[in-house]
Amino acid sequence: MAEKEYTETSEAQIAVHWGEEGYYMPSVKFIAQANMTDETIYDRFSLDNFPNCYKEYADMLDWYEYWDEILDTSDAPCFKWFKGGKINACYNCVDRHLDEYKNKTAIHFVPEPIEEGYQHITYQELFVRVNEFAALLRDFAGLKRGDRVTLHMPMVPELPITMLACARLGVIHSQVFGGFSGRACADRIVDSGSRVLITTDAYYRSGSLIDHKQNADIAVDLAGKDGQTVDKVLVWQRYPGKASSSTPMADGRDYFVNDVLKDYYGARVEPEKMNAEDPLFLMYTSGTTGKPKGCQHGTGGFLAYTAGTSKYVQDIHPTDVYWCMADIGWITGHSYIVYGPLAIAASSVVYEGVPTYPDAGRAWRIAQDLGVNIFHTAPTAIRALRKIGPDEPVKYNYEFKHMTTVGEPIEPEVWKWYYEYVGKKKAAIVDTWWQTETGGFLCSTIPAIKPMKPGSAGPGMPGIHPIVYDDEGNEVEPGKGIAGNICIQNPWPGMFQTIWGDRDRFVDTYFARYCKDPKSTNWQDWPYMTGDAAVVAEDGYVRILGRIDDVINVSGHRLGTKEIESAALVVEEVAEAAVIPVAHEIKGKEPDLYVSLKPGYEATDELAKKVSDTISSEIGKIAKPRKVWIVKDMPKTRSGKIMRRVLAAISNNKDEGDVTTLANPEIVEEIKKMVQG
Ligand code: PRX
């Protein structure tokens, strides 16, 4: 198989890594109430019992027709789970809870402005709102089973309502992170072939009411130029009946949802009986090229896996108040704010704004007010909360029984603050390592069974069997202290099914490198390559070092360096661009951008700003580089390849190694002076 090119400056290479830490035990009180305390789960989910072990997760769901084949590998590596089964995700997350829980809160919505208080949406209300909106989508927007629809929505309850309404109809939703630009939204509209865009007029962030509708106009316009017509834009209003955005509505194209919904009062929509393997949603993520990949997640497998892991790893009981602070625009929110928790009748908190707004105590006041007892966030948020208010959490009277960290490696020091100050030494912590592609957790601890170890994600989940390979494809044994490319030996139900419309890219990116036989229909021949480097300790606990490819994890968000570089090249004056990851105190990593100019242009601060602004408008503010360094020339090999490794060493104040073989070694000193002063 074709050798893929791997990056010469990966996150994993610049990882500052820590040693093995000691174990922390969960409290007796936690264990006494935990959903999963039976250690034999690891045997039940051993490779010998694969794939039948996953029946346990499937049985947490209600099926219209029970499946007859647990895993179909005939089109490997596009695996199909629970074949023959018929199911509806919305029914499982809403309808089936009504008998017992209709009066219980499904979603606690916390608007950012404090004076707006809290909203508590019961399962009954969720049922009503989802049904009415589903009727609107079907009868007004003309959407039907199998259609794709793009959502570009912030953290408001209308987002899960929209997702569930789509799921009810079998419409495949593709939610684009609200902070992404109109351009980024357009690319996803085009790739998914959406003719309907669902958005919101405005939302609060850090105290400002942000005009979001303007992004829809840009997105529709750019998508049209790229050949995808959007004929309807459905606009939820932050304040129903009141204009919060000055962007005008396009006649015959844009509709306020709240106006149209009046026609669907009392409507009920029969959930579609979907095949277990029908797609539920697309989630675009960055890869090694400029074009984001639409990860296609299936219905039965995804829901079973997220329900099972929400129950066993998140330890959610219907009586708990669960707050995952991620954005629903990312996979964490799909799996662990919406589908997983709601499938097991959780009360899930949705917070509109910034956790540190207006002050360091906000998050802890929300926890105190709502009685949150399960808390889930990313190291970047933990670092930020610690920095601005290290003693703040202990001032508030909440009690977490369980806390999660997700999205990036967490430094043991930060972990310990989380444990001592946020968890008040009472909460069990799980560090969950996984990816957009994987739908749910890959490595973590089952909190009542395995002890915690700061800085380590933990062993493979029950039914997930990691293996580390070196570049030659030899297995790296655990306990040797040697890093390698971490892969998963077996498929699992939460795993994505393919890249939307690009099976070849799916196979090339995730399987080609370590596939034992490209013609094989045995799952054993198709280890899944995660794209992360990892070290596995003797006890099987995994420490993730970071990406081995051209992907940077900024504040727990994935960005492709090639995406940022292509955005920089949109600027007329720019000739070449190179992005490298730099270590950052709060964000974990941050992109540093080097550009060289076409002849005749001069390096100015205005030009640097123009490049930076272009990246914000092309991708979104999260991709904004730490700094745009305009250099005379890039350090290059004699064959003309940009030496990103050298730039990364300079940005990270590391030794740049031997540069004498470069075509232009003298440029290195010059750039170094500029960057390091
Ligand atoms: O590098 C790993 C890192 O985040 C990448 C996946 O990013 P994304 O698809 O955006 O999903 C984030 C939320 C699941 C991984 O390839 N990563 C994720 N979780 C952890 C992590 N690195 C270390 N520890 C984690 N717990």
Side-chain angles (χ1 to χ4, degrees), residues 11 285 331-332 405-410 431-437 457 530 532 544 546-547 553 556-558:
E11 277 194 355
T285 190
I331 192 70
T332 306
T405 163
V406 58
E408 318 151 64
I410 182 164
D431 181 346
T432 56
W433 168 66
W434 59 297
Q435 311 177 299
T436 304
E437 292 87 340
T530 65
D532 280 336
I544 300 294
R547 305 285 314 183
N553 193 328
H557 300 324
R558 235 163 101 168

Side-chain angles (χ1 to χ4, degrees), residues 86-102:
K86 302 251 189 246
I87 192 165
N88 185 280
C90 175
Y91 177 86
N92 271 278
C93 291
V94 185
D95 306 40
R96 69 163 175 159
H97 303 318
L98 295 181
D99 275 352
E100 209 172 337
Y101 299 118
K102 73 166 178 241

Side-chain angles (χ1 to χ4, degrees), residues 437-468:
E437 292 87 340
T438 73
F441 307 143
L442 292 177
C443 283
S444 180
T445 46
I446 301 275
I449 301 178
K450 299 271 181 194
M452 311 160 235
K453 188 155 75 169
S456 290
M461 287 288 300
I464 302 283
H465 302 279
I467 187 164
V468 176

Side-chain angles (χ1 to χ4, degrees), residues 659-676:
V659 295
T660 52
T661 58
L662 294 187
N664 51 354
E666 68 291 344
I667 198 75
V668 176
E669 265 320 299
E670 210 174 298
I671 297 178
K672 214 169 150 179
K673 236 195 227 143
M674 173 173 173
V675 176
Q676 298 175 354

Side-chain angles (χ1 to χ4, degrees), residues 31-42:
I31 296 172
Q33 61 78 61
N35 279 328
M36 176 44 66
T37 52
D38 175 6
E39 285 178 41
T40 64
I41 187 172
Y42 286 96

